[in-house]
Amino acid sequence: MKKEDLIALGLSEEQAQQVLDGFGTMVPKSRLDDKIKELKTANDTIAKYETDLEELKPKAAGNEKLLEQIQKLQDDNKTAKEQHDAELAETRLSSAMKLALSGKVQDIDIVLGQLDKTKIELDEQGNVKGGLDDQLTTLKESKSFLFVPETEEKPLLPKGTKPGEGRSIDEPTSIGAQFAQQANEQSKSTEKTPWD
């Protein structure tokens, strides 16, 4: 989170600075999840390469067999790298979309299933750059129940208070006050008092 984000959440500038001084800039959870998954995949790949090399040592007896085995390993490694890159791109795209949709939809997974991921573009930081808003607008028109209704922000009031809700000063606020007002009006119209 940046200082501007904290201020937008309602913190004063001093409070936002104190949070940043205490914690520094924060990494979104989606990016952290991406990095953890990327690290796990890389570690698994390294372990596989080490195992393959250990299997290759006893087979080094014949050069032709060795060349074939090396070529096979190179092909397998190339395929594994391509799969890793594809999985990493899919994870980044999914995380960025989930982050962009959070708070806007009822169920993120259902909405993700309705979207065409090939039309969505990411920027260098991994945020959604384009293609999502158009699809969301179309989806919102056809399946509005998937989206969280937009509500107007109401000012926060202290607990136990209720605004007057547009009553005029002349209107009585309780049954007793209404009865007293009616009695006063009836007495004015029918009787003459000595003070009139």
Side-chain angles (χ1 to χ4, degrees):
M1 272 191 158
K2 299 177 188 166
K3 187 174 183 179
E4 296 82 29
D5 297 333
L6 294 171
I7 292 172
L9 290 172
L11 295 177
S12 69
E13 192 166 342
E14 293 171 298
Q15 291 171 332
Q17 189 60 45
Q18 288 175 349
V19 168
L20 290 178
D21 291 343
F23 296 105
T25 55
M26 295 177 222
V27 177
K29 183 170 179 358
S30 60
R31 289 219 181 101
L32 177 63
D33 292 342
D34 287 346
K35 293 298 179 185
I36 290 171
K37 190 168 185 179
E38 183 179 348
L39 180 62
K40 184 181 182 316
T41 305
N43 287 338
D44 292 344
T45 304
I46 290 170
K48 183 182 179 307
Y49 292 163
E50 290 174 356
T51 306
D52 290 344
L53 289 175
E54 289 298 321
E55 291 175 2
L56 183 61
K57 286 180 182 178
K59 296 178 183 179
N63 283 341
E64 190 173 315
K65 288 182 180 180
L66 178 63
L67 292 176
E68 289 175 11
Q69 188 67 25
I70 290 173
Q71 184 62 38
K72 183 180 181 305
L73 284 175
Q74 288 175 339
D75 292 342
D76 290 346
N77 289 343
K78 183 179 178 183
T79 304
K81 182 175 177 7
E82 290 171 355
Q83 287 176 342
H84 170 68
D85 291 343
E87 288 174 5
L88 185 59
E90 176 66 26
T91 302
R92 285 183 179 156
L93 180 63
S94 179
S95 295
M97 289 174 59
K98 286 180 180 181
L99 186 62
L101 293 174
S102 66
K104 295 180 183 180
V105 297
Q106 301 287 353
D107 189 342
I108 291 176
D109 295 327
I110 292 174
V111 173
L112 285 177
Q114 300 289 320
L115 300 175
D116 183 6
K117 293 180 181 180
T118 60
K119 294 181 181 179
I120 297 173
E121 301 171 7
L122 298 179
D123 61 10
E124 295 84 33
Q125 286 102 16
N127 298 321
V128 176
K129 180 170 72 171
L132 181 64
D133 292 334
D134 300 335
Q135 291 185 55
L136 286 179
T137 304
T138 305
L139 189 61
K140 197 174 213 180
E141 290 171 1
S142 63
K143 298 181 180 179
S144 62
F145 63 90
L146 292 173
F147 294 85
V148 174
E150 295 177 11
T151 58
E152 296 179 18
E153 281 192 33
K154 296 180 181 177
L156 295 176
L157 298 173
K159 287 187 175 182
T161 62
K162 187 174 180 180
E165 297 179 344
R167 290 188 186 151
S168 68
I169 297 173
D170 296 334
E171 290 183 30
T173 57
S174 67
I175 294 175
Q178 289 177 356
F179 180 72
Q181 186 178 12
Q182 284 178 341
N184 286 336
E185 288 174 5
Q186 287 177 355
S187 66
K188 286 181 185 178
S189 64
T190 57
E191 297 179 19
K192 280 233 175 210
T193 61
W195 302 282
D196 285 340

